[in-house]
Amino acid sequence: MTETLSENKAVGTGDGTGTGVRYRPGEIEGKWQRRWREDGIYRTDLSAAENKFYFLTMYPYPSGDLHVGHWYAEVPADAAARFLRMRGHNVLFPMGFDAFGLPAENAAIRAARAGEDVHPATLTYQRIERMEQQFAQMGAMFDWSKKIVTCDPEYYRWNQWLFLKMLEKGLAYRKESYVNWDPVDQTVLANEQVIDGRGDRSGALIERRLMPQWHFRITDYADELLDFSGVEWPDRVRLMQTNWIGRSEGAEVTFKAEGTADEIVVFTTRPDTLWGATFMVLAPEHPLVAKLTAADRKAAVEAYVERAGHMTELDRQTETREKSGELIGAFAVNPVNGARIPIWIADYVLMGYGTGAIMAVPYGDQRDFEFATAFGLDIVPVVLPEGVSEAAAGARSEAWSGPGTLINSGPLDGLRHNGEKGRASPAIAAAINHLESLGAGREQVTYRLRDWLVSRQRYWGTPIPVLYCDECGIVPEREENLPVELPTDVAFMPTGESPLKSHPAFMHATCPNCGGAARRETDTLDTFVDSSWYWFRYLSPHDAERPLDRAMAELWTPVDIYTGGIEHAILHLLYARFFTKVLRDMGLVNAGEPFKRLRNQGIILGEDNEKMSKSRGNVVNPDPLVAEYGADTVRAYLMFIGPWDQGGPWNFQGIEGVSRFMNRVWALVEGSNGRGGAEQAGAGGAGQAGAGGGSGPGQASADRHAASARTLDRAVHQAIKEVTEDLEGFRFNTAVAELMTLVNAMYKARPECAAFPDAWTEAVRSLLLLLAPIAPHITEELWQRSGFDGSVHLQRWPSHDPAALVANTVTMAVQVNGKVRGQIEAPTDADKATLLELARSDENVARYLMGVEVKREIVVPGRLVSFVTGS
C-alpha cells in the first residue's frame, strides 16, 4: 500500500490533465457524515405509506471490529437502498445488533481462567459502540432511530412473551433429547463446537447424553415451509430448505424381534424392496439395543456404543467414513417373507432421524451396499433395470435405486417401479397394500426436519420464562412479570458451567400459581430466536406494550428485499419463515412469509484466494484503507471487484485503479467549476463556433461542437440506462464499469465543453446522481461545489431518453498517406467540405499536414477521410 494519508494530505488527480485539482477524502467524508446525522436525512417516516419499501440487510454480531467482509455485505446493499430512495421510494433501511451469543460468553470464561473479570454485557456494548462508529465511517444510510440490540431487556422481554404464547398453544414443549455434552465444561455443545470428538474449548471427549430440552414444534409447519410460491428467492436457497425439511413418502413397517414380543418399526420410501432386506441396523442409542443384545456380544456392543457416543451427528453422517458396526446377536423377522435377518448397530443410523432403525436393502441403497460389502452380508437383487439380465444385476458393483421390474419379490414379481414416489409407482402402491393386508405396515409421510431444540446451557442469552415448582410442576412466568432479566452480578467459572446455576437470587423464586418455592429455568434460548422476528421490532423498537405494532407490520411487511450470506439459507431463514407463520396464526401479522425477495452476496477472499481468517493472516482491515483512499474508494472497489453474488479475492492493485477513477471524477467536476479546468480547456474552440458561414471553417467548427455535444449526450443517456438496469439487478460491478466509461467520454468531450455548457452541466449532474449510491461522500461534496440545490441524496434518479441513444454521428478514421493518424466524430449528414475541415482540425492529423502539399483529398462517407501529400 502507499503512504497513509492524514486528513490534510491531498491525493493527486493521477489523470494527466494538469488541472492541479486535489481530492482530499479525509476532509470531506467526516463532514458529510456529521451533516447527514444532524439533518436526519435518512430517518424514515413509517406513517408515509406511499411508495414504501422495506430494505433489510442482515444485522451483525458485535464482534468488535468491522472487517472488509462486513463492508462487502453492507455497502452494496446500502447502494441498492440509496438507489431505490432516489427512484422515489420511501425506503426503510434499519440496522441493529444480534447481541447475544457464545463468543462474548467464551471471552468471559477465558478471562475467568486468567483471573480477570470481563462481563459479556460490558464487552458487547463496547463492541457495539465501536461498530457504530465504523458503520458511520462507511457512509451507509442506516436509520439508526430504529436500532435494536437483542441483549437489551426491552427486546428480549418479547422473546419471552412469544415463548409463553407458543407454550400456551402447544408449540413450545420440553422433552429429552440427545445432546453433545462436554464433561469438563459441564455444558452442551453445538455440532460445530466438536472437533474430532472433543470439545473445542476443553479438549474433553464429548458424550452423547439424553437431557431435558425445550423445543419449538416447527414440524407442524413442515408442509407449509415447502411452499415457496409467495417469495422470490434464489433456487439454491429453496432447494437447500427443501432438502433440509426432507419430505418423504413411503411406508412404516413393523418387524418382530425373534423370540420376543418386541417390535422394531422402520420407515422406508421403498417398501417394494422389502424382499431384499437382508439385515437390520439400529442406532447405537436405540432403546432396544441393551435389551436384545446377546450375552456373548455385550462387551463389544457396549464398547461400540461408547465410541459412537463421542461423535457428533455430523461426523456420523460423513459419507466418506469407513463403515463400522457390531452384531448384537439377535434377529428380526421380515414380515413379508418370514426371513430371519441379523440385527446390527452402526453409527451411520441416527436415533434423531426416522425411528432410529432401518431395514437394510444393500441392493437398493448405497450405504447399505457398502456396509454389506464390508461385512460380507447377502445382497439380493430385487429390481431389474431395463436391458439387464438377472445374473448381471446380481453382480453389480454398486446399489441400484432406479426404475425397473421387481424380481425375487414374491407376489410383487413382474410389477414395475417407474421411479416415481409413493403410490405413483405401481410397485410401491402394491407393496403398501400388501403390508396393510398383513397388518405389518401402513402408508406414511415423514420428514427429515426435526423440532427446533431451543435450550442452551448458557448464560448470555434470553432466560426461558418458566419455573419448576414441586407442587405445580412446570409453571410459565406471568406476563406482567416480564422481562425475566439476566442478572449482571454473576461469577463466571473456569469450568464453563452457566453462572445462573450458582446465582441464588435468580434461581430461587416464587411459584406464580401457588405462591410456594420454585426454581427458575437456567437454560437460555437459542440466539436464532432473537433473529427470527427482529425485522418486525424495527417498526416499533421501543414499544413497551407489545412485541410489534400490527398496523405498521401490515403496512411494511413482508420485507421487500432481504440481503445476506448464503450460509444462513437453512437455519436462520427457515426459522424466520416458521416464526412469521406462527405470528400470523396468533393474529399478530397478516403475511405468512418474512421476506418477499432474497439476495445473497458471495464471499470476499484474501489476496491468496483463500477465505479470510485470522489464522491465515489474510484478513483485510478497512480502517487503514479508509484512511489512505477514503471510504468512497473502498465502497466502489468492493462493488467493482466482481459479481456481488459470487465474491472474489481482494487485490490491493485493484483498489489503486478505483482510487485513480475517484480522482478523475473529482478533477473532472472541479475543473468544470472553474478551478483550472473546463473553461480554459475549451476556450480555444469556443471562439470559432460562430465564425464564418456555409461550409467553411466556422461551420466545420460548429459542426464539430454539435457532434461532440450529441456524442456526450448519447454517452450520458447510455450510462443512465445501463446503471439503472445494473442496480436493479444487483450488478454493481458493471454499474461501476459503466460509470468509468461515462467519465472517459466526458474527458474526451471536455476540451470543447464551453461550446455546449447546458449539455456539459447536464452530464456533470447525471454523473453525480448515478455515482451517488456508490460513492455518497464525494458526490455530495461535488454536488454542492457545482452549485446544485439540496442534497444529491434527496434528488430523483435520472431517466434516459431513448431518442438520445440513436446514433446521429459517425466515427471516421483519418489517414495521411495510407496510415491512420486520427479519427473524427461527424454528423451523419455532413458534406464533404465539412468532413475535410473536421479531419484537418484533428491535432495529430494537422501535424502530418503541416508544411506539405496535399495532392489528393478522398472522402468515403461514413467511413474514411484520406489525404495524399507530395513527396
Side-chain angles (χ1 to χ4, degrees):
M1 267 194 285
T2 58
E3 181 184 356
T4 300
L5 289 172
S6 70
E7 285 202 353
N8 295 317
K9 182 174 178 181
V11 181
T13 64
D15 62 355
T17 61
T19 63
V21 180
R22 291 294 181 265
Y23 168 41
R24 296 181 175 89
E27 293 182 0
I28 67 171
E29 291 182 348
K31 175 185 74 174
W32 286 114
Q33 290 158 13
R34 289 188 295 273
R35 181 82 62 82
W36 296 333
R37 186 168 57 251
E38 291 165 1
D39 294 347
I41 71 167
Y42 299 132
R43 288 194 177 185
T44 305
D45 180 2
L46 296 180
S47 66
E50 187 176 1
N51 292 324
K52 64 88 186 170
F53 198 103
Y54 197 163
F55 196 119
L56 184 65
T57 187
M58 294 181 184
Y59 65 175
Y61 174 78
S63 56
D65 279 295
L66 294 179
H67 52 71
V68 79
H70 287 107
W71 278 61
Y72 191 66
E74 310 296 357
V75 161
D78 176 64
R82 287 177 175 277
F83 164 68
L84 287 164
R85 192 169 188 248
M86 293 176 73
R87 295 196 82 185
H89 291 285
N90 181 29
V91 177
L92 172 61
F93 190 54
M95 180 49 66
F97 294 93
D98 191 10
F100 274 137
L102 194 58
E105 186 168 349
N106 280 345
I109 294 169
R110 285 193 298 271
R113 287 173 175 166
E116 301 172 1
D117 181 16
V118 177
H119 197 284
T122 304
L123 188 65
T124 298
Y125 284 103
Q126 287 173 346
R127 288 173 170 178
I128 287 173
E129 182 178 2
R130 165 67 177 149
M131 291 177 75
E132 284 190 32
Q133 294 169 354
Q134 289 183 299
F135 272 128
Q137 177 180 265
M138 184 188 289
M141 59 167 264
F142 296 126
D143 181 354
W144 287 106
S145 70
K146 312 295 191 297
K147 180 180 77 171
I148 57 172
V149 178
T150 61
C151 65
D152 284 348
E154 75 167 353
Y155 183 86
Y156 70 72
R157 166 190 183 178
W158 301 109
N159 282 346
Q160 295 173 340
W161 187 90
L162 291 169
F163 177 92
L164 293 177
K165 293 300 179 186
M166 294 171 76
L167 184 64
E168 180 182 307
K169 294 181 177 296
L171 291 172
Y173 67 96
R174 193 170 186 252
K175 74 166 186 178
E176 285 195 331
S177 295
Y178 279 97
V179 295
N180 303 317
W181 178 257
D182 187 318
V184 172
D185 280 356
Q186 296 289 297
T187 188
V188 172
L189 302 180
N191 283 330
E192 59 269 21
Q193 295 172 271
V194 181
I195 302 172
D196 296 329
R198 296 181 179 273
D200 62 343
R201 188 170 58 201
S202 71
L205 276 173
I206 65 142
E207 301 171 3
R208 294 287 291 170
R209 282 193 181 181
L210 266 177
M211 293 182 61
Q213 304 281 296
W214 286 99
H215 297 75
F216 286 156
R217 214 176 291 277
I218 191 173
T219 52
D220 282 8
Y221 289 83
D223 282 326
E224 191 176 352
L225 290 168
L226 287 169
D227 179 7
F228 295 93
S229 60
V231 297
E232 181 191 322
W233 286 18
D235 291 342
R236 182 183 174 192
V237 174
R238 292 188 292 176
L239 179 61
M240 290 171 73
Q241 289 201 5
T242 298
N243 290 341
W244 185 262
I245 295 168
R247 186 180 191 275
S248 297
E249 300 176 19
E252 187 178 85
V253 185
T254 302
F255 288 71
K256 299 284 188 182
E258 186 183 56
T260 74
D262 295 309
E263 295 180 339
I264 304 172
V265 177
V266 303
F267 171 80
T268 176
T269 59
R270 294 292 305 276
D272 55 315
T273 65
L274 261 165
W275 285 261
T278 59
F279 59 101
M280 174 166 283
V281 185
L282 305 181
E285 305 90 349
H286 197 289
L288 286 178
V289 170
K291 185 175 182 181
L292 297 178
T293 298
D296 62 340
R297 299 297 306 155
K298 186 173 182 180
V301 167
E302 288 180 349
Y304 187 88
V305 169
E306 182 178 357
R307 288 196 301 273
H310 295 303
M311 300 170 63
T312 68
E313 290 186 352
L314 289 178
D315 291 336
R316 286 167 58 172
Q317 292 178 88
T318 303
E319 293 184 3
T320 56
R321 287 183 59 250
E322 183 178 343
K323 294 295 182 288
S324 65
E326 287 288 344
L327 271 170
I328 69 169
F331 293 85
V333 178
N334 190 327
V336 297
N337 58 10
R340 184 172 179 260
I341 59 176
I343 302 175
W344 291 70
I345 59 170
D347 55 26
Y348 74 89
V349 178
L350 304 175
M351 196 62 217
Y353 292 91
T355 63
I358 65 167
M359 63 173 212
V361 181
Y363 180 82
D365 181 275
Q366 187 61 30
R367 291 184 311 170
D368 297 342
F369 184 94
E370 292 169 1
F371 191 92
T373 302
F375 290 99
L377 303 171
D378 291 341
I379 301 175
V380 176
V382 285
V383 179
L384 193 62
E386 189 171 349
V388 176
S389 68
E390 190 167 342
R396 292 186 64 85
S397 59
E398 60 182 3
W400 174 254
S401 59
T405 303
L406 267 58
I407 58 174
N408 300 321
S409 298
L412 271 59
D413 277 354
L415 289 177
R416 176 79 179 165
H417 170 58
N418 58 10
E420 297 287 334
K421 297 179 180 179
R423 288 187 177 272
S425 166
I428 293 177
I432 292 172
N433 291 338
H434 187 64
L435 281 168
E436 291 174 345
S437 70
L438 296 174
R442 60 190 178 92
E443 189 173 11
Q444 181 73 295
V445 174
T446 66
Y447 300 86
R448 181 180 182 273
L449 180 69
R450 291 293 171 261
D451 280 340
W452 177 7
L453 192 157
V454 296
S455 291
R456 295 294 180 269
Q457 289 69 42
R458 297 292 185 185
Y459 161 75
W460 194 233
T462 298
I464 296 176
V466 298
L467 303 96
Y468 300 96
C469 173
D470 290 339
E471 295 296 325
C472 306
I474 298 176
V475 182
E477 183 58 90
R478 290 180 178 174
E479 291 180 22
E480 59 267 27
N481 294 336
L482 299 181
V484 176
E485 291 197 35
L486 269 180
T488 55
D489 56 336
V490 294
F492 285 90
M493 293 164 282
T495 62
E497 187 176 16
S498 171
L500 294 178
K501 294 181 178 179
S502 57
H503 192 286
F506 180 83
M507 277 284 292
H508 303 303
T510 301
C511 174
N513 281 355
C514 68
R519 303 176 307 282
R520 287 203 180 278
E521 172 64 81
T522 57
D523 285 359
T524 54
L525 288 173
D526 180 5
T527 54
F528 276 117
V529 173
D530 305 337
S531 58
S532 292
W533 67 284
Y534 73 105
W535 59 95
F536 292 113
R537 189 63 179 175
Y538 277 138
L539 302 174
S540 53
H542 307 298
D543 193 330
E545 303 299 323
R546 54 197 169 175
L548 56 93
D549 184 322
R550 181 172 180 178
M552 287 294 102
E554 184 174 349
L555 178 63
W556 283 90
T557 63
V559 169
D560 293 284
I561 287 181
Y562 192 37
T563 66
I566 190 70
E567 66 272 17
H568 300 292
I570 295 175
L571 297 183
H572 163 54
L573 289 172
L574 193 65
Y575 295 155
R577 295 181 67 213
F578 163 64
F579 248 73
T580 302
K581 296 176 193 304
V582 170
L583 293 175
R584 176 204 60 198
D585 292 347
M586 288 181 181
L588 297 176
V589 301
N590 288 341
E593 292 287 354
F595 320 117
K596 290 180 187 175
R597 281 171 282 176
L598 175 70
R599 296 292 181 267
N600 299 121
Q601 80 270 8
I603 297 174
I604 185 144
L605 306 172
E607 281 200 298
D608 55 4
N609 248 346
E610 297 287 343
K611 186 175 180 179
M612 288 188 185
S613 70
K614 291 181 181 178
S615 62
R616 290 193 179 98
N618 63 352
V619 174
V620 176
N621 184 342
D623 288 3
L625 295 170
V626 172
E628 182 166 0
Y629 298 105
D632 285 338
T633 295
V634 179
R635 286 172 62 104
Y637 176 61
L638 286 169
M639 284 181 259
F640 187 59
I641 202 170
W644 187 60
D645 61 344
Q646 297 177 27
W650 179 269
N651 184 296
F652 283 106
Q653 291 181 340
I655 197 173
E656 291 281 359
V658 174
S659 177
R660 287 192 293 272
F661 166 65
M662 287 296 172
N663 280 278
R664 296 189 80 220
V665 170
W666 181 272
L668 179 72
V669 179
E670 269 291 83
S672 305
N673 294 333
R675 297 172 178 86
E679 285 81 353
Q680 294 94 320
Q688 304 174 15
S695 59
Q699 183 60 46
S701 180
D703 285 344
R704 184 177 70 248
H705 294 323
S708 295
R710 286 193 293 267
T711 300
L712 177 61
D713 191 49
R714 187 165 66 250
V716 168
H717 284 273
Q718 183 68 32
I720 294 172
K721 177 180 181 295
E722 296 296 333
V723 173
T724 300
E725 293 174 354
D726 287 339
L727 292 182
E728 286 175 338
F730 281 63
R731 297 186 296 272
F732 304 102
N733 59 323
T734 52
V736 175
E738 185 61 38
L739 288 166
M740 290 177 173
T741 299
L742 174 59
V743 168
N744 288 338
M746 291 177 69
Y747 265 105
K748 189 173 181 180
R750 181 179 181 178
E752 300 178 358
C753 66
F756 39 87
D758 291 344
W760 181 259
T761 299
E762 185 58 30
V764 169
R765 182 178 180 277
S766 296
L767 170 63
L768 295 179
L769 290 172
L770 296 176
L771 183 59
I774 293 165
H777 307 90
I778 189 174
T779 51
E780 187 77 289
E781 180 73 17
L782 291 174
W783 184 264
Q784 302 297 321
R785 288 176 178 238
S786 299
F788 298 124
D789 292 334
S791 166
V792 68
H793 302 300
L794 298 180
Q795 307 305 309
R796 293 302 294 265
W797 189 256
S799 57
H800 79 278
D801 180 2
L805 301 181
V806 178
N808 49 20
T809 61
V810 62
T811 302
M812 300 174 63
V814 182
Q815 293 181 346
V816 178
N817 294 328
K819 292 186 177 180
V820 175
R821 299 301 185 185
Q823 67 178 26
I824 59 172
E825 193 81 14
T828 54
D829 58 354
D831 60 16
K832 180 177 180 180
T834 299
L835 294 174
L836 288 171
E837 178 59 29
L838 288 171
R840 285 178 178 276
S841 67
D842 181 89
E843 183 179 344
N844 195 49
V845 171
R847 287 196 301 111
Y848 284 93
L849 297 182
M850 187 179 298
V852 300
E853 179 186 359
V854 177
K855 290 189 172 183
R856 294 180 63 195
E857 297 174 334
I858 304 167
V859 175
V860 181
R863 294 181 57 195
L864 176 71
V865 175
S866 180
F867 298 98
V868 180
T869 68
S871 57

